[in-house]
Amino acid sequence: MSIATMTTKQQLFNGLVGICLLAAAGQVLAGDVKKGADVFAEECGDCHSVKEGKAKKGPPLFGINGRKAASVADFDYSDAMKQSGIAWTADKIDAYITHPRKVVPGGKMKYDGLDNAAARADVIAYVMSLK
Amino acid sequence: MQYLPSVGRLLRHATALLAFATLTSLFGTAAHAVPSYARQTGAECASCHVGGYGPQLTPYGVRFKLGGYTDTDGKDGKIPLSAMAVFNWARTEKDNPAPDSGLHANANDNGGMQEASVFLAGRLTDQIGTFIQSTYSGYERKWALDSMDIRWARTLALGEQEGVVGVSLNGNPTLTDPFNTIGQWRFPYTESDFGFGSGPSPLIEGLGGSVMGLNAYTLWDKNFYAELGAYGTLSPKGLSMINADDAGKFKNLGTYWRLAYFKDMKRDNFSVGLFGFNADLQPDRADGTANKYDDIGVDVAYQFLGNREHIYTLNASYIHEKQALNYSFNNGESSDKNNSLDQYKLAASYHYNQTWGVTGSLFNTSTSKDATLYGESSYHDNGNTSGYILQGDWTPWGKESSWGAPWANVRLGVQYTGYNKFNGGSHYLDDNGDDRKASDNNTLSFFVWTSI
């Protein structure tokens, strides 16, 4: 069966299978930076700035790629975040924004998590682009 | 039709209406915008407010308020002080036949500085914060304690669930509410003192500044909001100290209650709620007889926020007030002991890029017939008033990247209020007893609302 003859349901099923396989392999989907900016505005922008050195309720996410957790000077992190030992790779961010309280129990971030894997990939692509 | 009532009857009429529309000149139209919160949290105005300017709250703003105004960016040295001024100019379709001498008003084309406020607004401790506003009315030429909300709040966990619980000491039954559907926080967020208002209002909306309440509240599991408050009227000495008008004395404590379901889906959010206020008000403090008011209402709100480029909101409420006017009836100020009032309000807004905004609003108040209570000004012996408000505004700053953020804040707007009915119909009797069309009260106003 060619792709052209697939039904919408079949395409959706194949897409879900692909997402599940990538998730099982611990990989983050390749995201869209432009879409990620919109996801950031909806989900993150009230508490986090993308400006260098600009703290809100949460720390700035400028330069997050590879940054050690709790390393922004003058920001008042929780003890849990200070002791997490995390370095912010795409995988770590993906896990954290999926279930913040499971990854950093006792952390300050009051965010329930983002279930949508594609939206997570997009927003990760966006924040990783902030250099 | 010409009718010239005696001064005595006019005075009685004014007294009888006191409970329905008191204090609105100073408190009901007061605007609020508090940049000290932005400095405290590091968040731009647009994080908490739709359109980048107060007071319509986003879910982030709702949580900030219920959290006791204590969220912070973690940096010390923040001073919880802000200031605000509103300048406006208003033109009514036809000259006001009896300009309000208390406002030093002309018959038409009134303008100037309507109000200037200072705020003590922000975090005092980890769990205590304030919203206290003192306002100088440029038209009344006097200071007053405009709004007071002192909160203690903390997070509480019970098993797997957690919520915010708090207590508020405040000066208005609806001041504590986190949504923009009822009382103090409902559209229009600013309006000219020289306009004609939106008709008789229920007691819950007419007490600002003249009462003091202690409320306990919770936002449990992020979704369930509940609040219960008890209010007492201030003594004449207390009212004099804060320069507030006297609405009378509660025979017992007034009770305020509020239940709402709130769902924040980030991209959009909604709330559905119920609220009520009950009080026995003695208009004459020395007379033990009271008018009894039982207010109950329902409200609904929806916001589409998306990526904040295009924001749509809808706020609506309905209130029914049952009135047992024992004092008014005994003193010849109402024909019937039992009366009622029903009020609908709806406002829909669109904001582009947190900068350009348009809002359309409908209001409708209907009352039971009472020849003594309303007959002086109504051909139909009721206070029925309905109309609409259209507003366009421009908020150039208030975003994270804005010039002068978070110190420079301004909103410029044009507002038009049109009336279909006023005091019972499309025509009514004005303060001189002359016939006047409801549409003669249509008012165009411009405003400049700035805060620092």
Side-chain angles (χ1 to χ4, degrees), chain B residues 113-247:
Chain B
M113 187 189 76
Q114 177 161 299
E115 58 181 297
S117 297
V118 290
F119 296 87
L120 175 63
R123 171 191 177 98
L124 299 184
T125 73
D126 286 352
Q127 295 177 330
I128 297 175
T130 62
F131 175 85
I132 301 173
Q133 178 183 17
S134 182
T135 295
Y136 175 76
S137 167
Y139 299 142
E140 296 190 62
R141 300 176 190 172
K142 69 175 185 179
W143 281 96
L145 179 64
D146 193 337
S147 298
M148 187 193 78
D149 181 14
I150 303 172
R151 288 182 184 237
W152 169 89
R154 61 161 294 183
T155 302
L156 185 68
L158 288 176
E160 292 291 306
Q161 292 187 334
E162 72 170 33
V164 173
V165 295
V167 175
S168 163
L169 181 68
N170 64 86
N172 192 0
T174 57
L175 171 62
T176 51
D177 201 62
F179 309 111
N180 292 92
T181 48
I182 62 174
Q184 180 156 343
W185 303 112
R186 188 166 50 189
F187 181 83
Y189 308 123
T190 182
E191 64 181 327
S192 170
D193 284 353
F194 300 109
F196 286 76
S198 56
S201 55
L203 187 67
I204 190 174
E205 295 179 5
L207 295 168
S210 62
V211 295
M212 188 74 74
L214 189 64
N215 302 24
Y217 67 90
T218 181
L219 178 63
W220 193 253
D221 202 22
K222 294 184 171 67
N223 299 134
F224 299 97
Y225 182 71
E227 181 177 354
L228 184 64
Y231 286 83
T233 40
L234 297 179
S235 67
K237 189 178 177 185
L239 291 169
S240 174
M241 284 173 64
I242 62 171
N243 231 350
D245 292 337
D246 188 356

Side-chain angles (χ1 to χ4, degrees), chain A residues 44-63:
Chain A
C44 321
D46 288 337
C47 294
H48 293 281
S49 173
V50 297
K51 281 186 171 182
E52 187 173 10
K54 167 72 175 169
K56 293 186 176 179
K57 195 173 176 181
L61 299 184
F62 180 89

Side-chain angles (χ1 to χ4, degrees), chain B residues 203 207 250 252-255 277-281 291-294:
Chain B
L203 187 67
L207 295 168
F250 286 166
N252 300 302
L253 290 175
T255 53
F277 187 76
N278 310 84
D280 292 355
L281 179 69
N291 291 333
K292 182 175 174 58
Y293 298 90
D294 294 307

